Amino acid sequence: MSQIVNRDKLFLGSCFALITTAMAFGIRAGVLTQLGVEFNLSSQELGYVNQMAFLGFPIAMIIGGPLYNALGPKKIIWVAFVTHVLGLIMTIFSGGFWTLLISTFFVGFGNGTVEAACNPMISDMYEGNEKTKMLNRFHMWFPGGIVIGSLLSQFMTSANMGWQLQIGAILVPAVIYAFLFFGQAFPASQDEGAVSTGENFKAMLSPLYIFMLACMALTAISEFGPEQWIGPILGKAGASPMIILALVTGLMAVGRYFAGPIVHSINPTGVLLASAIFATIGVVLMSQATGAMVYVSAVIFAIGVCYFWPTMIGFVAENLPRTGAFGLSIMGGMGMFSTSIFQPIIGAWLDGETAKAAEAGLTGDAAELAAGQATLQNMAIFPIILIAAFIGLYLYKRKNATVHA
């Protein structure tokens, strides 16, 4: 390669690409209620709009994962930029439910393409424990970007700025990451088995990978379910939903930045088990809290979901390296596919609980609060299942380490 790979600039560009993804997530959560009012959409219909963002993500990763070995990260990241810009502009000019579905899908496709390019690229640029540390620092910008997006949405909504302007703000980090990547040399793939996507696929048939795939589906919905529906669910709990989202994701960003020593001292399986326990406690408390206690329960929830995504990716990169970029992409894709499947289901839960509240004689804010809390109680089942799963993983890893000692 005639050009020297500028690792720092590529990592910074990756972070801004992820900020674009995260701001889309945060601002969409902020304008969800506005979209429902403007286009007269039910919670289930809003769930289908959300679904398109999370569905576009895994489709992009399933396509981008196997193509990474052949095309490399440079071409894939430019696909991300084009689809981000296309989706955001189409969203701004949407006229109703169907155009929102299509435009949101493009944004989701851009989000997934970012992960398909940047996860394996960062994995290629660093070695050993440095992989998990840098993947955590990269993924800290997902919650970090949501903080930016949620606070910006809160400010713009308070200033009576429309949802179109809020969506337009996401174009700013998109242009920045395009500028940072422009003209840069990109690394060649260093993952074991990267020369053959077929070898990657064979490695992905291992029981451990399939088990982690199932766990990824549950960790993702445990994190993104409460976050994406924060406005409709906690809007009447006596606390600002967007401040709650900013608090949760801000704590996640700080936690991921300092993830290296934590993962090293506890080990990834211990981190995952502790995360499932805290996530369960946090969701259950949020389903019962009002006023200031909502913020307290949100902090516990943040501690729980903080390390889920990057530690799952890092675990696979370290323990199943022959799955390569394809394996990492499918792992992330499964997380988002699971989240997409549950979006209209969560919306239907909320509609159903609202109807139950009305039948019980509740009206107005009291009905919305009861429906939101009941919906959160339904969501607690996901991290509860993970507690059992990660106890099993911890015992398996401990037994395996003893056998090979």
Side-chain angles (χ1 to χ4, degrees):
M1 186 179 290
S2 57
Q3 265 185 296
I4 296 173
V5 173
N6 187 333
R7 206 165 64 167
D8 292 340
K9 197 165 188 178
L10 290 179
F11 184 77
L12 184 60
S14 299
C15 292
F16 271 99
L18 196 58
I19 288 170
T20 305
T21 293
M23 282 185 64
F25 180 97
I27 289 178
R28 187 171 59 251
V31 302
L32 200 59
T33 302
Q34 292 180 45
L35 292 175
V37 171
E38 176 153 346
F39 297 114
N40 193 28
L41 304 178
S42 68
S43 293
Q44 188 170 18
E45 287 173 322
L46 289 174
Y48 282 117
V49 173
N50 279 344
Q51 183 182 52
M52 287 299 102
F54 291 107
L55 185 61
F57 192 108
I59 290 174
M61 296 195 77
I62 290 167
I63 294 171
L67 288 178
Y68 183 90
N69 295 337
L71 300 179
K74 183 176 183 178
K75 292 178 181 177
I76 297 174
I77 202 69
W78 285 114
V79 171
F81 175 70
V82 171
T83 49
H84 264 151
V85 172
L86 178 63
L88 292 169
I89 291 175
M90 286 180 66
T91 300
I92 291 168
F93 292 100
S94 288
F97 176 67
W98 290 104
T99 47
L100 276 175
L101 285 182
I102 296 168
S103 61
T104 305
F105 176 83
F106 276 117
V107 174
F109 193 91
N111 295 345
T113 311
V114 165
E115 291 263 356
C118 296
N119 272 327
M121 182 178 72
I122 292 169
S123 181
D124 288 338
M125 292 193 301
Y126 302 95
E127 300 294 332
N129 286 337
E130 195 78 357
K131 280 184 193 289
T132 300
K133 185 180 84 171
M134 296 310 291
L135 280 167
N136 269 285
R137 289 193 175 180
F138 166 58
H139 282 281
M140 100 176 187
W141 285 109
F142 188 76
I146 296 175
V147 171
I148 296 168
S150 56
L151 291 179
L152 184 62
S153 178
Q154 174 84 358
F155 169 77
M156 295 179 79
T157 300
S158 300
N160 294 319
M161 297 183 186
W163 61 267
Q164 293 93 338
L165 280 175
Q166 296 186 40
I167 297 295
I170 306 167
L171 289 166
V172 175
V175 171
I176 293 173
Y177 85 72
F179 173 78
L180 288 168
F181 283 131
F182 186 76
Q184 292 299 304
F186 287 73
S189 179
Q190 300 298 322
D191 283 319
E192 293 183 46
V195 292
S196 169
T197 298
E199 289 297 314
N200 296 157
F201 185 73
K202 287 179 184 177
M204 288 159 57
L205 294 177
S206 73
L208 179 58
Y209 183 84
I210 294 170
F211 173 81
M212 295 304 291
L213 208 57
C215 290
M216 190 68 176
L218 292 170
T219 58
I221 188 58
S222 295
E223 176 181 346
F224 295 131
E227 288 178 2
Q228 188 70 110
W229 287 88
I230 196 80
I233 286 176
L234 290 177
K236 304 302 179 182
S240 167
M242 298 315 290
I243 297 299
I244 294 168
L245 185 57
L247 173 65
V248 168
T249 51
L251 288 170
M252 288 172 66
V254 173
R256 287 181 180 180
Y257 183 82
F258 294 104
I262 295 172
V263 174
H264 179 73
S265 61
I266 302 178
N267 76 52
T269 51
V271 170
L272 290 171
L273 175 55
S275 295
I277 293 170
F278 275 99
T280 300
I281 295 170
V283 173
V284 170
L285 288 178
M286 278 197 296
S287 73
Q288 301 171 355
T290 56
M293 283 305 297
V294 178
Y295 296 109
V296 176
S297 58
V299 169
I300 297 171
F301 172 74
I303 294 170
V305 299
C306 178
Y307 299 116
F308 267 157
W309 190 282
T311 305
M312 292 291 290
I313 296 293
F315 180 94
V316 172
E318 287 186 28
N319 292 276
L320 297 157
R322 293 191 67 81
T323 58
F326 193 12
L328 294 182
S329 291
I330 295 299
M331 186 64 56
M334 172 56 81
M336 286 301 181
F337 180 70
S338 166
T339 305
S340 77
I341 292 298
F342 277 98
Q343 291 305 305
I345 293 173
I346 292 171
W349 283 347
L350 188 55
D351 284 336
E353 295 298 342
T354 301
K356 287 181 184 178
E359 290 173 6
L362 297 175
T363 59
D365 291 356
E368 290 187 40
L369 174 61
Q373 289 183 332
T375 302
L376 273 173
Q377 288 172 9
N378 291 338
M379 292 187 201
I381 188 64
F382 305 125
I384 288 173
I385 295 171
L386 284 169
I387 292 174
F390 289 140
I391 287 174
L393 180 64
Y394 181 84
L395 294 175
Y396 167 79
K397 289 291 292 178
R398 187 174 178 181
K399 179 182 178 181
N400 203 43
T402 303
V403 170
H404 290 91

